Structures are given as C-alpha cells and as structure tokens.
Amino acid sequence: MKHKFILIFPLVLVVFGFIAQVVAQDSETIPDKLVLKLNEANSDLELSVYPWKYHPGDNPEWASPTFDDTEWASGGTLDTLVLQNKKFESEWEGIGWFRLHVSVPDKQLWNTPLALQVVYHAGASEIYLDGELIYEFGTVGTQKEEEEPYWERNPQVITFSGKSDHVIAVRYSNFSSALGFWLVVAPLDESIKGRVSIIRGGTTLQMVWTAITVFLMLQHLLLFFFYPRARENLYFAISTGSIGAFIFLTFQFILWTTSNTQILFLLRLLICVYVLIFVSGKLFLYTLFYPKLPKLSWFFLIGWVVTLCVNLFNIDKYTFDITSSYVSNINAGLGVFLLFLFTILSFLEIVRVIIVAIFKKKDGAWIFGLGSLVPIILPFIFGFIAARTGFRINWELGVIILFLAPLFSMSIYLARNFSRTRRKLETEELERQLLEVENTRKTEELEEARELQMSMLPDAPPELPNLDVAFEMRPATEVGGDYYDFNLTDDGQLTIAIGDATGHGMNAGLVVSAVKSLFKTSAPGAGNLATLERISQGIRSMNLKRLYMAMTLATFVDNRMTLTGAGMPPPLIYRSDDNMVEEILLEGMPLGGVIGTEREEASFELQPGDTVLLMSDGLPEMLNPENEMLDYPKTKELFTEVADKSPKAIIRHMFDASSSWAQGKPQEDDITLVVVKVK
C-alpha cells in the first residue's frame, strides 16, 4: 500500500494542489529523537514522528553529530516540505540545514541496509549520516546560479552502524521556491519492489490510457476530415486528445520528473491541456444539442482563457500552507481559485446540458445519460459484488472503466450519428443519381421533341418579287410554345401565321404540332377567319385542358395585307412615306377557347418601303434583373429605329436590344419575330 500512496501523492499535488493529510503534533509532544523499530506483525519498519530541527544559513560544522543544535528551531511533521512555515523563526532565504536525531534501539537494525526514499524534492541537497556525506541530490548552491535541483526517484541505501544514536543532517538549497523535501526510511526490499511496481504499473496505465484516448481522437478526427460539416467530431477529437495528453503528462510527472524545473514545465502543460479538455468538451456538447453556440459559451471561453493566463504566469509562485491538522489550501491566490471555480461551473453546465437534452428528448441524448450514470452506479455494483462474493475488482481496471464509460458513450453517439448521416447521404446520392438519370432522359426526349418541332418550322422564308420576308424564333426551353409558318398559293397569295401556345415544354409543343397540321391543310381559298375557326375547333377536339393558341394571320395579295388576330400582340406597320409606325389592335380570343368567339379582321394597302412586324409576347415582356418589362412602347421605339433596314437587320437589332435589356437574366418566354418588307 505504501508504493500506491507514493504513486498517488504527486498526482494529487498536480491536479488539485493538495497534499495527503499529515498528523502533526504540538512542540510539547514531539520527542527529541526519531525511534526506529521493527513491527512485529509484518516485519516492517514503523516510523513515528519527524522531529526535524532547522537553521537558516550555511555552515559545514552543522553536519557533525556532536554539534549542539538545542537552540535550533524545531518543527512538526513534514516541516521540511514547506519552508515558509510559521514554526520557523525566519522566512526561507534559499539555503539552510536540517538535522534529525535518530535512535535505533533494536540491534537487529544495526548494519542492516534500509531504503531512503525521496518522496518529494524541489531543490538540491547533501545528505549526511553521522557527519559523513552519503548522497548528493543535485548541486547545492549559495546562490541561484550555482544551484542545480534534482529529484532522485529511486530508493537509496542507508545503513545505521553498530550504535543506537545517529544524526541525519541535510544541507538544502532552493532559490526558486519555498518547497523543500520529504524523506522516508523503509525496508530496502519493499522499497525496491514498490518502485518497480510503480514503474511497471504506472507505465502500463500510461500506455493503456494514452493508446485508448489517441485511438478515439484519431478515429473522430478522420470522421471530421471525411465529413467536415460534423464539427462535433472535431471538438470530441480535441477533447479526447487533451484527456490523453493530460494522463500522459501526469504519469510523466509521477514517474520520471527529477527537478523542480521539470515539474513547473509539466504543470504548465497540464494546465493548458486541462483547460482545453473543458473548452473543447463544452463546444462538443453545444454543437450537438444547440443549433448555434449559446451566449453562455462565451462566458466559459473567456473565463477559461483568463484562468489559463493567470495560472501560467503565477505557477512558479505557488507555495503550500500546512496547518497543524490538515492541508488547508494552496496560497496561489486568484489562479487556483479560478481553476477550481470554472472546473465546478463547467461540470455543472455539462450536467445541465445533458439533462436538458434528455428531458427535451433530443435524439440519442439517453446515450450520454447512460454513459454519465456508469461512474456513479458502477462503484455500488462493485461494492455489492465484493460484499456478496468476496471478489475484488482490480482498482486500475475499475478506474479505467469509470473514466472511459462517458468517453465511449460519446463515441458511440457520434458513430451512430455518422452512420445515420452516411445512410442519409447515400440515399440523397442515390436520389440525385436517379434524378440525374431522369433529367437526362427528359432532356433527351425534349431535345428530340425540339428537333421535331424545329423541323416543322419553315427552313427558309418565301421568295416573292414584291416582298422581302424574314423570321426567327428563340425558344425559352428545349421545346417552345411559339409557332410561325406560311402558305403560298400558285397565284402568289401569301398567308403568314405566327402563334403562341400557352406554357412551354412538351404540352406546348403538342399544341404547336396540332396547329401546324391544321394550318397546312387549310383550303387555299379559305379566308383567315375561317382558317382560325377551323384551327380552334381542332384544338378543342383534342381535349388538352386549358391549352390554347394565340395566333395572327397575315395574308398578302400584291400590295394588300389582311390581318386577323386571336389574342396576339398588335402588329406594327412602318409607313416609309410618313416615317412613322402604326400599331394595329385586333380583338379576338386565343384559339381553343369558347365556341363562337368573334375575331377582328382588317385590311391595309402597303407602299414600297413599308415594313410589317409580327411578334409574340416574349419580346415586349422581356424582364431585366430588376424585373422590369421591356414593354410595348419600347418595342415600338426599337422597331422605329431600324424599320427602314432589311428584315434580317431589323430582327438582329431587336434581339440584340432585348439581350442588352435582360443583362444576362435568363429568358423566360419564347420570342418569335416575323418581318415583311414591301420592295
């Protein structure tokens, strides 16, 4: 049990800043000598109290066993550990001597090798036995520059020669702090076995703990790399890695530190990773159970940063205050207070977040609750098993289970989330692939339909001696709803049709196909009104459900034009003699609507140079990024600018102007232009 206490003591010193309780005696009850005797029960040495005597300064004569130290200050138990002690007459100035009178009445202990164990050693010392230097731990200096601190961790041999009275004198220096030393005399074999057991057990625990935490850290770090949106994996990896680093550094301190410089360095690292454990752990929980970081997280973040800075800058000033009955506190002031405060507050906040998540029935929160209950319930289960069966659980295994249960529960929760996310992503990817296949199929079908539709449009305008004709259509989708065509009789009568079906895509293309068939099979001598009515009846008979066709027919006989409208934008006529544009308004409902709807027809005489513009509503209703329409007055103005040009030049100008107006905004409707100019 002694070696386990030695193992635990520095850990408690590092993490909590407390020292194991030491029983001190008043100066009146302290004996003059330390009496060493055999314990008859287990042949172990029993050490009573440590009546050390102390004097500041440096004098080689104080090593002599014959030196009279009756006037020296006398302290109680473990006074050698804390040098700024009220029982000393003066404050510690960096170097001093300690003397301990030892009585060995039992001759069985004479010339028997015993172990001198250095439980703690902050500075440098020279150990004298009966005036003879037996050990040097580091280099004792009379000033800080000369001193080289050292902590000997292995037990050293000490032998009391064949007499009963001895004096152990210690010349000790520590100019960096007021921490001293703690020596123990014990059986040699037991001490060696204890040290070996500490090294073996401590190294095993260190490697096991570190390996487990590093494995968890790497696992969730990789999960984060594969799916960066799941930031909870990153925070958990940082927190777990910090726990592993804290454990590794703690065992380094317990097993291998040999100087106060190393201790302070390790303490700084331990404080850094300790703070990182809580900061990343809270970020982990907040990311899991909150849509965004709560304002309270900033309080903890700032608090932990302040705590870290205060402790890092003041860690070398920490001293210990041992009262007559117990270790009260570390006089580190604000730093230790903040460390203790935010540790308690963070634990309470973590418990609060988990409890709230469970009560709000957050998905998987019960896993955290179960993992958090294990460290509370498991000791009772172990105790019940031990009480009923006498079976004892190995304490190292029990500690591992207690501390790893919450970590494994969190890892299980994240693995569960990642599995669900992966299935969701796989489902989304499958849906995306199916949608892509479907879109490809539809695109191919629409492309085929577009090719079919474009094949139904005239390849070239008609060539007449008195007319110059041009037309062009720019669909908004693969299959547009606009339509243009012409019929030319043997006697030179030209009928031009321009139409606009409701909507776009396949349905509009179906209407266009039907209209083309009806228009091309119209009787050559039939009038425009009769042709429109025939087409309207044909659309109605197809039962296409609210699919209609707006259309304008323009028939040219010599220089006379007859216009018949069915819901199309007004045609524009440019009169070259007057250099003006007329807007022709023709009443009439789109084809395929109510039976018996009347439509308006008008005839016009055209002169050489006159130009007619027929269009669908896609041009005047073109939108710009501010959702403003080009509108009909602007369309009329654009036509007026180039009405004296050739039909192809007019169409090119109108399309260029519309593109400039749109400023890159996608075209939302088909645009069809037909221009007829009288030669």
Side-chain angles (χ1 to χ4, degrees):
M1 291 300 295
K2 288 185 178 180
H3 72 272
K4 291 185 179 179
F5 173 76
I6 296 170
L7 173 64
I8 296 172
F9 167 74
L11 177 61
V12 178
L13 181 68
V14 173
V15 179
F16 301 102
F18 295 103
I19 305 173
Q21 179 175 343
V22 180
V23 179
Q25 304 291 335
D26 294 337
S27 57
E28 297 178 358
T29 61
I30 297 176
D32 294 334
K33 297 180 180 181
L34 169 65
V35 179
L36 298 181
K37 57 183 179 179
L38 286 175
N39 186 311
E40 296 178 357
N42 54 19
S43 300
D44 194 4
L45 284 175
E46 182 182 283
L47 293 90
S48 53
V49 292
Y50 294 3
W52 289 95
K53 293 188 175 184
Y54 161 77
H55 198 286
D58 188 25
N59 188 340
E61 296 181 359
W62 295 344
S64 173
T66 60
F67 177 79
D68 184 7
D69 55 15
T70 55
E71 301 298 324
W72 283 24
S74 178
T77 303
L78 286 185
D79 280 346
T80 59
L81 181 60
V82 182
L83 306 181
Q84 287 183 346
N85 194 290
K86 295 178 182 179
K87 293 183 179 181
F88 295 149
E89 295 179 357
S90 62
E91 296 294 330
W92 177 253
E93 297 178 354
I95 188 170
W97 281 73
F98 296 83
R99 288 169 59 89
L100 177 65
H101 292 265
V102 181
S103 175
V104 188
D106 197 329
K107 293 184 179 181
Q108 295 185 45
L109 293 178
W110 293 2
N111 299 314
T112 299
L114 302 175
L116 179 66
Q117 294 181 346
V118 184
V119 180
Y120 184 74
H121 196 270
S125 65
E126 296 175 357
I127 310 296
Y128 295 85
L129 179 60
D130 297 332
E132 180 182 353
L133 177 65
I134 57 175
Y135 292 111
E136 291 182 80
F137 300 141
T139 302
V140 178
T142 56
Q143 54 186 353
K144 186 174 182 179
E145 291 74 16
E146 299 174 354
E147 181 183 275
E148 294 182 7
Y150 179 76
W151 182 358
E152 177 57 59
R153 310 304 298 270
N154 297 320
Q156 305 297 304
V157 178
I158 185 172
T159 304
F160 296 97
S161 58
K163 60 179 182 179
S164 60
D165 294 328
H166 304 271
V167 174
I168 298 176
V170 179
R171 180 182 179 230
Y172 182 80
S173 69
N174 186 354
F175 289 90
S176 299
S177 68
L179 293 176
F181 58 91
W182 183 6
L183 302 179
V184 172
V185 176
L188 182 60
D189 290 344
E190 181 181 335
S191 297
I192 294 175
K193 292 178 181 178
R195 177 61 179 170
V196 171
S197 176
I198 289 174
I199 297 297
R200 182 186 295 114
T203 303
T204 301
L205 287 175
Q206 181 185 34
M207 293 300 103
V208 170
W209 273 97
T210 305
I212 293 174
T213 53
V214 168
F215 171 77
L216 290 175
M217 179 191 71
L218 293 177
Q219 178 186 17
H220 291 278
L221 200 58
L222 289 174
L223 291 178
F224 170 73
F225 286 151
F226 288 132
Y227 189 59
R229 291 175 59 186
R231 290 180 289 112
E232 59 271 17
N233 280 301
L234 174 62
Y235 297 139
F236 182 73
I238 295 174
S239 180
T240 307
S242 301
I243 293 174
F246 186 85
I247 294 170
F248 182 85
L249 294 173
T250 300
F251 277 102
Q252 285 297 109
F253 172 82
I254 295 173
L255 300 176
W256 308 113
T257 48
T258 58
S259 69
N260 197 48
T261 303
Q262 293 179 358
I263 292 174
L264 293 177
F265 175 72
L266 288 176
L267 282 175
R268 288 188 174 94
L269 291 180
L270 283 165
I271 290 176
C272 290
V273 297
Y274 184 80
V275 170
L276 193 58
I277 289 171
F278 283 97
V279 172
S280 57
K282 293 173 69 60
L283 288 174
F284 164 67
L285 288 178
Y286 286 146
T287 304
L288 281 179
F289 299 124
Y290 287 84
K292 62 179 181 179
L293 291 180
K295 295 181 180 179
L296 189 61
S297 64
W298 290 103
F299 165 75
F300 282 102
L301 178 61
I302 295 173
W304 276 116
V305 171
V306 172
T307 301
L308 176 64
C309 294
V310 171
N311 280 277
L312 288 180
F313 284 118
N314 294 279
I315 198 167
D316 56 341
K317 300 177 183 178
Y318 291 0
T319 57
F320 297 89
D321 178 22
I322 301 179
T323 66
S324 59
S325 59
Y326 65 97
V327 179
S328 62
N329 68 325
I330 299 179
N331 294 330
L334 182 62
V336 172
F337 171 75
L338 290 175
L339 197 65
F340 177 78
L341 174 65
F342 279 96
T343 298
I344 297 299
L345 292 178
S346 294
F347 269 119
L348 293 177
E349 174 64 4
I350 290 172
V351 172
R352 183 194 71 83
V353 171
I354 295 176
I355 292 177
V356 169
I358 293 174
F359 275 97
K360 288 187 175 182
K361 298 181 179 180
K362 295 284 186 178
D363 184 35
W366 62 271
I367 299 177
F368 283 87
L370 182 62
S372 302
L373 286 175
V374 168
I376 300 175
I377 299 175
L378 207 58
F380 293 98
I381 297 176
F382 286 167
F384 178 80
I385 294 175
R388 293 287 182 176
T389 65
F391 177 76
R392 299 291 178 179
I393 303 296
N394 181 274
W395 72 273
E396 292 93 344
L397 178 61
V399 169
I400 291 177
I401 294 175
L402 293 179
F403 279 93
L404 286 184
L407 289 182
F408 277 130
S409 69
M410 296 175 188
S411 180
I412 292 170
Y413 178 87
L414 291 177
R416 174 176 173 269
N417 271 11
F418 186 81
S419 176
R420 290 187 171 185
T421 302
R422 181 179 178 182
R423 288 198 300 268
K424 181 180 178 182
L425 290 175
E426 289 175 348
T427 303
E428 291 176 351
E429 177 64 19
L430 180 59
E431 291 176 350
R432 186 192 65 80
Q433 292 177 358
L434 293 175
L435 181 60
E436 183 177 340
V437 171
E438 181 66 15
N439 289 338
T440 301
R441 183 187 64 80
K442 290 182 178 180
T443 300
E444 292 175 352
E445 291 179 354
L446 289 174
E447 183 62 26
E448 292 175 357
R450 180 179 180 277
E451 292 177 359
L452 177 61
Q453 179 195 4
M454 297 304 292
S455 68
M456 293 189 297
L457 298 177
D459 294 331
E463 295 183 2
L464 296 171
N466 63 326
L467 297 176
D468 188 4
V469 182
F471 38 66
E472 184 174 346
M473 181 179 73
R474 292 187 181 179
T477 57
E478 291 84 350
V479 179
D482 280 9
Y483 166 72
Y484 66 88
D485 208 343
F486 67 89
N487 282 330
L488 181 61
T489 63
D490 294 338
D491 58 359
Q493 176 180 310
L494 174 65
T495 300
I496 296 177
I498 180 171
D500 184 4
T502 54
H504 308 282
M506 292 296 294
N507 291 335
L510 180 61
V511 174
V512 169
S513 300
V515 169
K516 178 179 178 64
S517 176
L518 293 168
F519 174 72
K520 296 300 284 187
T521 58
S522 297
N528 291 347
L529 289 173
T531 300
L532 290 179
E533 182 59 29
R534 180 173 180 269
I535 295 174
S536 181
Q537 292 178 4
I539 295 175
R540 284 199 301 271
S541 67
M542 296 174 65
N543 193 24
L544 295 177
K545 296 181 181 178
R546 288 184 287 182
L547 286 179
Y548 310 106
M549 170 68 81
M551 180 172 281
T552 295
L553 293 181
T555 300
F556 297 86
V557 179
D558 296 328
N559 285 355
R560 185 174 181 81
M561 176 181 67
T562 301
L563 291 174
T564 308
M568 288 290 286
L572 300 177
I573 302 176
Y574 169 70
R575 300 295 185 176
S576 60
D577 291 344
D578 300 327
N579 192 28
M580 62 175 293
V581 174
E582 296 180 20
E583 187 176 56
I584 310 302
L585 298 176
L586 299 173
E587 294 183 0
M589 296 299 292
L591 308 180
V594 180
I595 300 176
T597 301
E598 295 184 358
R599 298 178 179 86
E600 189 174 355
E601 186 174 78
S603 297
F604 305 89
E605 291 291 333
L606 302 177
Q607 302 299 322
D610 289 354
T611 305
V612 179
L613 172 63
L614 306 176
M615 59 184 170
S616 65
D617 60 3
L619 180 63
E621 294 179 4
M622 172 73 73
L623 298 176
N624 65 7
E626 286 75 31
N627 286 328
E628 299 171 338
M629 284 198 309
L630 181 65
D631 218 342
Y632 292 91
K634 181 65 176 177
T635 303
K636 182 178 179 180
E637 179 183 333
L638 293 174
F639 176 57
T640 304
E641 293 173 357
V642 292
D644 59 340
K645 306 294 184 182
S646 67
K648 290 184 178 180
I650 293 172
I651 290 176
R652 183 168 58 251
H653 176 75
M654 301 298 283
F655 275 120
D656 290 344
S658 66
S659 298
S660 177
W661 173 263
Q663 300 180 30
K665 184 178 177 66
Q667 182 180 327
E668 296 182 3
D669 198 4
D670 308 327
I671 301 176
T672 302
L673 300 177
V674 177
V675 179
V676 180
K677 191 176 188 68
V678 180
K679 295 181 181 179

